[in-house]
Amino acid sequence: MRIWGGLADMTPDMAPIMDGNDPIEGFYMDCGWGYFGFKSCSAVGKYMAQYMASGHCPEILKPFNLRRYENHQLMGETAALVSYTPDN
Ligand SMILES: Cc1cc2nc3c(=O)[nH]c(=O)nc-3n(C[C@H](O)[C@H](O)[C@H](O)COP(=O)(O)OP(=O)(O)OC[C@H]3O[C@@H](n4cnc5c(N)ncnc54)[C@H](O)[C@@H]3O)c2cc1C
């Protein structure tokens, strides 16, 4: 009764990926929510819809871009066990 089994889509910095048009024009993603995806969906839906309708990324979504991993700009969420910096 008190256990579960399954997959949770975790990212290395425990933060979701919300991005689009990079590199494929018209392809948007909203994933990697781990354990907090459904309480965030109303706000995310609003901003992702704005992004998809206009093609311009709202300021609030910019830090969640996919290229943060390539650019060593991980979010360093407090829930993460490791604090990432550009040096590690
Ligand atoms: C045990 C547990 C507890 C949680 N508790 C909370 C909580 O208290 N509060 C909270 O906010 N969040 C919680 N979450 C997290 C939340 O459930 C998820 O973050 C959220 O459901 C993710 O939504 P999503 O639409 O991004 O992905 P998902 O809900 O995983 O949807 C992805 C969909 O894509 C489908 N799919 C996958 N591959 C393919 C493919 N190749 N082709 C077609 N379809 C495909 C899958 O079948 C699935 O339907 C919890 C999660 C777990 C596991």
Side-chain angles (χ1 to χ4, degrees):
M1 295 290 288
R2 291 173 183 272
I3 60 170
W4 63 278
L7 297 174
D9 53 342
M10 316 295 291
T11 59
D13 54 357
M14 293 285 288
I17 300 163
M18 292 173 279
D19 207 345
N21 298 327
D22 184 18
I24 303 169
E25 197 64 30
F27 179 81
Y28 293 86
M29 66 181 90
D30 167 22
C31 56
W33 278 99
Y35 299 107
F36 48 101
F38 60 73
K39 60 179 165 281
S40 317
C41 64
S42 47
V44 171
K46 174 183 162 184
Y47 289 110
M48 282 303 291
Q50 218 176 75
Y51 191 2
M52 295 165 82
S54 68
H56 300 293
C57 186
E59 217 43 55
I60 197 169
L61 297 186
K62 285 185 178 170
F64 298 95
N65 67 82
L66 178 61
R67 288 197 189 273
R68 71 180 187 267
Y69 300 109
E70 185 182 333
N71 298 330
H72 304 286
Q73 291 172 326
L74 279 73
M75 299 290 283
E77 290 267 313
T78 50
L81 296 174
V82 179
S83 187
Y84 293 96
T85 69
D87 305 321
N88 66 10

